Amino acid sequence: MRMLAQRFLSKEEQQRVAGTVAEMERCTTGEIVPMVVSASHSYPEAALIGAAWLSVPTALIAALTTGSLLWWHDRLLWLFLAFLLLLFPLARLLMRLPCLLRLFISERRAEEEVERAALNRFYGERLHATKDATGVLIYISVLERRVWILGDRGINERIGPHVWQGLIDTLIAGIREGRAGETLCATIEKVGVMLHIHFPPATDDRNELDNLLIAGEDGVLAHRGPTAEESPLA
């Protein structure tokens, strides 16, 4: 499941996204950080529920069938338990597949976990610590198929939540249509235009944050694009 983020964008798309961020940040003092993670939570209860749903009916059918064939009607309970022990680990393994795990995650739980994880990442990656409080996080959680956009206090004083929601809806629609890289670049451009209007570039502006963050197989964020160590932007 941890590979979901790495597979979300091709290498070429990653380069294009990072390049789009760099281009838009030349027009503003704002900082745009797209971030792609495989999942916002491990959802252990969903795996257990899914395993139960897969194992219990299968074990029951297998026990009834075997008991009937072998005339072991008085041993159905033991047959059921035996098949359950055999199938439960298999079903648990199947739940590692994102397409199956997603079926047992409620919409409300997914929304809450994505929002919580986006907030944690916002502060964990220090988007709140830019010079002019102009950091914007575009957070994509692949397993839950959700997007969250967070702006720092300086931006939110001028840009309302309905604007972010419009961008979120458009980005999700593009991802569902198989245009993840293209739509993400278009979203970054729209954010950049808004930031340019409210926060035009300054002569001493520096790129303070990474241009793209992608969670690796171990869950650690891999950095793409320049960091704050660079010289001031031209």
Side-chain angles (χ1 to χ4, degrees):
M1 187 171 71
R2 290 178 177 176
M3 294 293 291
L4 289 176
Q6 293 176 298
R7 296 170 180 167
F8 183 74
L9 297 171
S10 67
K11 294 294 184 182
E12 293 75 16
E13 288 176 323
Q14 291 179 25
Q15 293 174 358
R16 188 151 54 107
V17 167
T20 302
V21 172
E23 180 182 353
M24 299 313 300
E25 287 184 346
R26 291 190 181 96
C27 304
T28 175
T29 57
E31 293 287 334
I32 306 170
V33 180
M35 182 184 298
V36 182
V37 301
S38 295
S40 294
H41 195 270
S42 59
Y43 303 102
E45 79 289 348
L48 291 174
I49 292 171
W53 272 93
L54 291 173
S55 297
V56 172
T58 306
L60 180 59
I61 293 172
L64 290 172
T65 303
T66 304
S68 177
L69 291 174
L70 299 178
W71 291 45
W72 288 356
H73 300 290
D74 57 336
R75 303 179 184 177
L76 289 180
L77 177 59
W78 295 109
L79 286 171
F80 170 74
L81 293 176
F83 281 116
L84 187 62
L85 290 175
L86 290 173
L87 290 171
F88 200 90
L90 176 60
R92 184 73 173 84
L93 180 62
L94 289 175
M95 292 313 301
R96 293 178 181 273
L97 298 174
C99 57
L100 289 177
L101 181 62
R102 192 183 296 117
L103 297 175
F104 300 98
I105 303 173
S106 70
E107 293 293 318
R108 181 177 179 181
R109 177 72 191 283
E111 184 175 353
E112 290 175 349
E113 293 299 341
V114 170
E115 181 179 358
R116 183 181 295 110
L119 282 168
N120 289 337
R121 293 293 195 179
F122 186 88
Y123 290 102
E125 297 301 320
R126 298 188 60 78
L127 271 83
H128 67 293
T130 58
K131 183 179 65 173
D132 298 315
T134 55
V136 177
L137 174 65
I138 302 175
Y139 179 87
I140 300 172
S141 195
V142 183
L143 174 68
E144 298 87 347
R145 297 177 178 175
R146 276 174 165 72
V147 175
W148 201 266
I149 300 180
L150 292 171
D152 205 354
R153 61 187 184 280
I155 294 174
N156 289 334
E157 289 173 355
R158 306 188 185 189
I159 299 175
H162 66 283
V163 176
W164 299 134
Q165 189 59 52
L167 294 176
I168 289 171
D169 294 341
T170 301
L171 180 52
I172 290 175
I175 293 172
R176 287 175 176 169
E177 294 169 1
R179 300 182 295 107
E182 174 189 343
T183 312
L184 180 54
C185 286
T187 301
I188 293 167
E189 290 173 353
K190 291 177 182 177
V191 172
V193 169
M194 289 189 296
L195 293 179
H196 172 71
I197 295 172
H198 298 288
F199 305 96
T203 55
D204 62 343
D205 189 30
R206 295 175 62 90
N207 187 10
E208 301 177 68
L209 300 170
D210 293 277
N211 289 352
L212 176 61
L213 294 169
I214 296 180
E217 187 175 359
D218 55 0
V220 177
L221 290 172
H223 300 258
R224 301 284 188 274
T227 64
E229 302 299 323
E230 286 192 329
S231 58
L233 295 173

